[in-house]
Amino acid sequence: MIIRLPRMQRAGTVRNDLIEHIDVAACSLNLAGIKAPNNIQGRNFFSADYKSRRFIFAGRDRCDETVDIQRCVRDSRYKYIRNFMSHIPHTQPSQYKDGKKIMQVLRGLHKEGKLNEQQARPFATRRPPEELYDLDSDPYELVNLALDPKHQKKLLAMRKILFQKMIETRDVGLIPEPILEDLGREAGNKYKVFLDNDPRDQICRLIDVITSGEANNVAKLLEYTKSPDPSTRYWATVWLGVNKTADSKATLLKLTADPVPSIRVAAAQALCKLGELSQLKLLIKHINDPNLLVGMFALRAIEELGDAGKAHREAIAAAQKSKYEFSRRIARRLTAKWP
């Protein structure tokens, strides 16, 4: 972080504090002579009573039509990353990114097999659920220590700190966006959902269902599909599909009639992965769901299934006129792929 103050104040000062993005707001208000509200989370790192942070946190969620959920914590030496969607690659299709020359070159080199193991890592079909890096010895984060027995104590400590932070900040990121959209509509707005609910049990449960999916714990996933919580049923359904759990077909068929549209979408995609391509019709139907995010998730599911959706090209092409820009992007991409 580089700061330039008027009249060369503090010129040449170098500090090693860990700074979060939210600290910039607190600091900026102070520099402008404005008292920061008492409930502001940022810290003014220019104040006389400033206490430096031991840990800083970061996250990534949806960006345009690219859906992702990552959470991160780091201290002065180690960085821990939790990939809650480890079943998808880093390089998901994205109109914004894929329009950049750098991505076009990288994709071309990868297709030609000219990237080395580290360079090709973003193109892997899956990614590690957890990443741990020693930034002193590995500043470019090339050596993942998450599975190294020598670093298990640090891994467990950083994981605990991150999960506690998610609970403390009422992190709603694990609630699938279409479901959160409906909850917000029912409550009046999504911020009210954030304020009105104690998230502790739900956050812990959603982490557990995702972790169970990564471990392919079929019995636990099937049990979670019976949960009264839609988000829990959603993630259990997703992972039954990711793991192509043949024993789950009967359960997934029942979930295609779930009252929650995004769960029906996840169930249809899971069944398609198990060879039940007739369920594509259900995905096509949900493209026009009144909840626009359901439509985008249905189109994402079709795109992830590869060329299976080509038989429904006309219906997908019609989605180029969707009310939702990010649905239109996916529809345009698929329509161009299937001329």
Side-chain angles (χ1 to χ4, degrees), residues 148-318:
D148 187 336
K150 297 177 182 177
H151 292 85
Q152 286 306 293
K153 186 176 180 181
K154 188 64 179 180
L155 177 79
L156 293 173
M158 296 293 271
R159 180 197 294 162
K160 182 179 179 180
I161 290 163
L162 178 65
F163 291 175
Q164 286 176 337
K165 186 69 171 181
M166 291 176 68
I167 292 169
E168 174 193 329
T169 56
R170 294 173 174 257
D171 190 338
V172 297
L174 295 180
I175 300 176
E177 231 185 322
I179 294 176
L180 186 59
E181 185 76 10
D182 283 336
L183 290 172
R185 189 176 295 111
E186 293 167 9
N189 58 67
K190 283 177 276 191
Y191 185 58
K192 199 167 187 302
V193 175
F194 170 85
L195 291 176
D196 289 352
N197 296 281
D198 181 354
R200 179 183 299 271
D201 289 343
Q202 186 185 42
I203 291 173
C204 292
R205 185 175 60 256
L206 294 181
I207 291 172
D208 187 58
V209 67
I210 292 169
T211 303
S212 299
E214 292 161 344
N216 197 13
N217 187 332
V218 178
K220 207 167 189 181
L221 290 174
L222 289 172
E223 190 61 32
Y224 272 133
T225 62
K226 303 172 187 175
S227 171
D229 174 42
S231 298
T232 300
R233 296 201 305 279
Y234 173 87
W235 284 115
T237 304
V238 166
W239 278 100
L240 288 170
V242 169
N243 296 327
K244 298 181 181 180
T245 310
D247 293 345
S248 68
K249 273 192 178 182
T251 297
L252 290 170
L253 283 167
K254 289 181 182 177
L255 288 165
T256 59
D258 193 278
V260 178
S262 56
I263 296 175
R264 298 197 294 267
V265 167
Q269 182 183 18
L271 285 165
C272 286
K273 290 179 179 180
L274 287 166
E276 302 289 335
L277 293 180
S278 62
Q279 293 296 328
L280 271 165
K281 292 180 181 179
L282 185 58
L283 292 176
I284 297 296
K285 178 182 176 181
H286 281 81
I287 290 174
N288 297 313
D289 192 273
N291 182 334
L292 298 179
L293 284 161
V294 171
M296 190 193 81
F297 270 53
L299 283 163
R300 285 186 72 252
I302 294 167
E303 186 169 39
E304 288 175 4
L305 290 169
D307 286 335
K310 188 175 181 179
H312 301 274
R313 184 190 179 283
E314 288 186 11
I316 293 166

Side-chain angles (χ1 to χ4, degrees), residues 7 12 25 30 39-40 45-46 51 68 88 97 117 147 151 158 168 170 187 195 222 242 252 298 320 324:
R7 299 179 299 279
N30 176 262
N39 63 345
I40 198 167
F45 44 80
F46 280 155
K51 293 181 180 179
D68 205 347
I88 57 174
K97 286 190 294 184
E117 185 274 328
L147 297 178
H151 292 85
M158 296 293 271
E168 174 193 329
R170 294 173 174 257
L195 291 176
L222 289 172
V242 169
L252 290 170
Q320 293 177 98
Y324 199 46

